Amino acid sequence: MGKKRNIPVYNRGNAARQTQRKYLGSKMTQAERVQKNREAAGHVISMCFLVALNNRYGIGEERLGRVTDAANAELERFDLEKRAVGMERAKKRLIEKLGELLPNGFILPASKTPRKNKDWAMLGEQREAAEIVVGCYALAAHKALAFGADRVQGTVAETEQVFREFGAWAEGGDYFGYDLLARELEHIFRTPITVDESNAREPIFSDTLD
């Protein structure tokens, strides 16, 4: 029971299923599409951060649980600040908290080439969401693992690489990308993870679902 509690919400029981069910909906309004893109980018990049910690520094399930708990707390604080002072001021405060831990921020690589203005807009939404999540996870790694700037920045560089791998996998369709990322998480959390293809209508990270 304790181990399950430390697994991120979207990993608990079935990471890919919950991701697809929440972030690949049927026909959506533009506002809904923006929200889905932001949520999907944030959740996928947080998975990539956990894989990166394991890849680069051998951080295992128990310590990843501590990072996840700390990151959830940072994300909750950010959400409260956003509601209190607005998105831009909340982002500025997050940057100030990070200081030298992550001076250059994080730019999410494009997983597919934007072709239209709306594609660029969606990429912008994904990038803003991913930068916030990576910043909160960077603070969490500093607090939970006592990581200094070098290790935080090393983890973030590895996170980008993991996401690029995910993007390459997703060229075969979003399902394929989620499936292979789920396998990476399986190795770490030792929890069976499968892909549920139900109720998905629009791809987010590629041009096709499968």
Side-chain angles (χ1 to χ4, degrees), residues 36-110:
K36 302 292 185 186
N37 270 265
R38 292 182 67 89
E39 290 176 344
H43 281 263
V44 168
I45 204 64
S46 59
M47 294 181 194
C48 292
F49 195 98
L50 296 176
V51 173
L53 281 170
N54 184 263
N55 285 355
R56 195 166 185 114
Y57 299 111
I59 305 300
E61 180 182 3
E62 183 178 347
R63 288 194 292 168
L64 287 177
R66 296 206 299 268
V67 172
T68 300
D69 290 343
N72 286 341
E74 293 296 335
L75 287 163
E76 287 175 10
R77 273 191 285 273
F78 180 87
D79 189 56
L80 288 172
E81 288 196 352
K82 182 182 71 174
R83 294 180 188 182
V85 302
M87 174 66 86
E88 293 307 313
R89 289 182 66 185
K91 285 176 12 184
K92 185 177 179 182
R93 289 182 181 180
L94 177 60
I95 291 169
E96 290 170 353
K97 286 180 188 176
L98 286 164
E100 293 303 310
L101 286 175
L102 196 61
N104 298 320
F106 176 78
I107 299 177
L108 185 76

Side-chain angles (χ1 to χ4, degrees), residues 2-173:
K3 290 183 179 178
K4 261 191 176 178
R5 189 170 57 250
N6 282 332
I7 296 174
V9 171
Y10 47 85
N11 288 338
R12 193 168 297 145
N14 192 327
R17 174 182 301 167
Q18 292 188 34
T19 300
Q20 275 127 209
R21 185 157 49 205
K22 289 179 73 174
Y23 312 124
L24 296 177
S26 55
K27 293 213 169 185
M28 297 177 279
T29 66
Q30 184 67 3
E32 289 171 331
R33 188 171 288 109
V34 166
Q35 185 63 21
K36 302 292 185 186
N37 270 265
R38 292 182 67 89
E39 290 176 344
H43 281 263
V44 168
I45 204 64
S46 59
M47 294 181 194
C48 292
F49 195 98
L50 296 176
V51 173
L53 281 170
N54 184 263
N55 285 355
R56 195 166 185 114
Y57 299 111
I59 305 300
E61 180 182 3
E62 183 178 347
R63 288 194 292 168
L64 287 177
R66 296 206 299 268
V67 172
T68 300
D69 290 343
N72 286 341
E74 293 296 335
L75 287 163
E76 287 175 10
R77 273 191 285 273
F78 180 87
D79 189 56
L80 288 172
E81 288 196 352
K82 182 182 71 174
R83 294 180 188 182
V85 302
M87 174 66 86
E88 293 307 313
R89 289 182 66 185
K91 285 176 12 184
K92 185 177 179 182
R93 289 182 181 180
L94 177 60
I95 291 169
E96 290 170 353
K97 286 180 188 176
L98 286 164
E100 293 303 310
L101 286 175
L102 196 61
N104 298 320
F106 176 78
I107 299 177
L108 185 76
S111 59
K112 58 182 177 181
T113 304
R115 296 186 178 90
K116 301 178 181 178
N117 287 340
K118 68 176 183 179
D119 298 331
W120 284 105
M122 289 303 102
L123 177 59
E125 297 290 347
Q126 291 175 14
R127 283 180 166 169
E128 181 177 61
E131 184 174 22
I132 291 165
V133 170
V134 167
C136 289
Y137 268 78
L139 286 174
H142 175 61
K143 293 179 178 180
L145 303 176
F147 272 17
D150 286 347
R151 285 204 163 199
V152 166
Q153 291 166 32
T155 303
V156 171
E158 182 68 17
T159 299
E160 179 179 334
Q161 181 57 36
V162 174
F163 183 81
R164 288 185 185 278
E165 291 174 2
F166 167 77
W169 298 333
E171 287 179 5

